[in-house]
Amino acid sequence: MSFKIGNLEIENKIILAPMAGVSNSPFRLLTRTYGAGLVFAEMVSDKGLLYNNEKTIKLLYMTDAEKPMAQQIFGSDLKTMVEAALYIDQHSNCDIIDINMGCPVPKVAIKAQAGASLMKNPDLIYDIVKEIVKRVKKPVTVKIRSGWDHQSINAVEVAKKIEAAGASAITVHARTRSQGYSGFADLEVIKAVKENVSIPVIGNGDIVDGPSAKRMLDYTKCDAVMIGRAALGNPWIFREIDAYLKDGTILERPSLHEIKDMMVAHLESLIDLKGEHTAILEMRSHGPWYLKGIEHASNLRKQLSQTRTKDEFITHLDAFFNKK
Ligand SMILES: Cc1cc2nc3c(=O)[nH]c(=O)nc-3n(C[C@H](O)[C@H](O)[C@H](O)COP(=O)(O)O)c2cc1C
């Protein structure tokens, strides 16, 4: 069930996606504990690193317990991308440097000409990857989309350039930039990339459980799968997919008690890292994700979205879950 990126052995084929505002150290640790074989940290800006932007530097925080971990960078300029990669190589204890070539948000893909915008320029992709690989010691991976839009699906061409430039693996989120998160991930694109390169290919898009993970692995023959949105409020998904891939076991969903305990543990680890104020603001997003599918939780969702302290948060959880 394991696979390798460069010389790094990954214990299974199930990976946490980089998600801005979500895939920080506490969340990565939760997902590693619950079965992710490798975790990706959210993207950081190349220029933010080089200008020593305090917020950007804070995003690099990690602990050894999360390893193996990939730190993602984004940018569009060869020189600053290389400098940012060198910074990560020297100052971060992460195992992999990942380059974002898939982000669709206008601030990144249009204003900064970074993220998915790079898909329009395969030669620049080649130059950036080649120069970074040459200069850093850690393995370099790249995360791409299918292409910029429906008329320009070029993941195979780009993947070949990335391999030729010396990258150690490629993640394919099989949607175009213009699709954003709508429609479906196209397994044909992942399959075609896998058939055309010999470095590991990580498939990404729309995996929600064991069967959808297995379908992607079986159909595309990709080496591993990456999970994003389905992990929100659901760190258990990794051990569930792991069990299903091993022998078809469908694990029971976490009990209400486990969900509550996880919400408290998540809050507490965020407080340790960021202080109570910021942690509570983040848990205002995570709260409804954890409560997805739980009946009669709409009032609790509303209460959590207005809490200001840890005590208030826990009082609301107690009042709801102790009645169950
Ligand atoms: C809230 C959020 C933040 C994201 N941030 C990043 C990011 O920083 N870097 C990146 O490469 N992709 C980012 N993505 C895209 C995911 O990594 C993933 O490719 C996408 O969600 C598709 O996978 P899924 O269907 O499993 O969610 C983000 C997605 C979401 C929902």
Side-chain angles (χ1 to χ4, degrees):
M1 293 299 286
S2 65
F3 80 109
K4 274 177 124 180
I5 294 181
N7 288 326
L8 186 71
E9 179 95 20
I10 314 290
E11 69 191 32
N12 66 28
K13 294 172 175 290
I14 315 157
I15 300 173
L16 170 70
M19 285 186 282
V22 176
S23 301
N24 51 26
S25 177
F27 191 66
R28 294 193 302 260
L29 185 55
L30 284 183
T31 55
R32 271 290 286 141
T33 310
Y34 281 82
L38 168 67
V39 292
F40 275 61
E42 63 191 280
M43 58 183 175
V44 294
S45 136
D46 59 345
K47 298 207 167 60
L49 284 179
L50 303 180
Y51 298 148
N52 240 337
N53 179 295
E54 200 189 326
K55 250 170 124 181
T56 310
I57 302 291
K58 275 191 179 161
L59 289 177
L60 297 184
Y61 178 82
M62 66 169 290
T63 60
D64 284 351
E66 299 154 34
K67 285 161 77 67
M69 191 276 252
Q71 177 62 57
Q72 189 182 68
I73 55 173
F74 77 92
S76 59
D77 174 68
L78 174 67
K79 192 165 169 287
T80 50
M81 287 289 274
V82 172
E83 282 175 33
L86 278 168
Y87 184 98
I88 301 288
D89 205 43
Q90 288 155 15
H91 295 96
S92 165
N93 198 20
C94 69
D95 301 278
I96 292 170
I97 299 173
D98 186 62
I99 308 173
N100 181 318
M101 299 195 178
C103 185
V105 304
K107 199 173 129 198
V108 173
I110 297 186
K111 191 159 167 257
Q113 293 288 298
S117 179
L118 291 168
M119 296 293 296
K120 292 192 279 187
N121 195 342
D123 290 336
L124 178 59
I125 290 181
Y126 177 83
D127 291 343
I128 291 175
V129 178
K130 191 167 169 65
E131 195 58 25
I132 291 179
V133 169
K134 198 167 90 188
R135 303 280 298 278
V136 302
K137 293 197 187 72
K138 298 184 198 280
V140 175
T141 60
V142 183
K143 183 162 176 282
I144 64 172
R145 282 195 171 231
S146 304
W148 177 255
D149 60 20
H150 194 65
Q151 280 76 47
S152 56
I153 293 183
N154 61 350
V156 169
E157 177 199 355
V158 166
K160 285 181 176 170
K161 296 251 183 211
I162 289 169
E163 176 173 47
S168 296
I170 303 175
T171 303
V172 184
H173 175 197
R175 281 189 175 82
T176 61
R177 187 266 161 185
S178 54
Q179 271 182 293
Y181 292 93
S182 67
F184 299 101
D186 183 354
L187 294 189
E188 297 299 337
V189 174
I190 300 172
K191 186 168 185 269
V193 169
K194 177 64 192 166
E195 282 164 2
N196 280 279
V197 296
S198 41
I199 53 176
V201 173
I202 301 163
N204 171 233
D206 300 344
I207 291 174
V208 291
D209 53 16
S212 49
K214 185 164 167 28
R215 200 175 315 123
M216 184 182 280
L217 285 162
D218 287 350
Y219 186 74
T220 70
K221 303 279 182 281
C222 65
D223 300 86
V225 288
M226 176 182 275
I227 324 292
R229 289 163 298 169
L232 299 174
N234 186 21
W236 301 274
I237 190 173
F238 298 94
R239 71 171 184 199
E240 289 171 8
I241 293 177
D242 195 34
Y244 187 81
L245 293 180
K246 276 184 182 136
D247 57 12
T249 300
I250 299 199
L251 293 183
E252 265 186 43
R253 295 267 50 224
S255 64
L256 289 180
H257 191 68
E258 282 175 282
I259 293 173
K260 181 194 160 196
D261 288 350
M262 183 72 87
M263 290 174 83
V264 174
H266 195 164
L267 170 64
E268 285 176 341
S269 55
L270 278 174
I271 291 175
D272 288 346
L273 180 63
K274 303 184 173 204
E276 186 170 3
H277 177 71
T278 310
I280 286 288
L281 293 181
E282 277 194 29
M283 285 308 287
R284 287 182 182 179
S285 307
H286 287 281
W289 291 328
Y290 278 109
L291 298 174
K292 208 175 142 194
I294 298 181
E295 284 185 346
H296 310 302
S298 55
N299 196 34
L300 175 60
R301 266 186 217 109
K302 202 167 143 212
Q303 288 168 331
L304 295 185
S305 72
Q306 292 164 356
T307 46
R308 278 168 306 181
T309 64
K310 175 184 168 184
D311 286 349
E312 254 177 62
F313 192 91
I314 292 178
T315 304
H316 290 317
L317 291 188
D318 282 342
F320 180 82
F321 285 101
N322 292 351
K323 275 195 301 203
K324 294 274 165 189

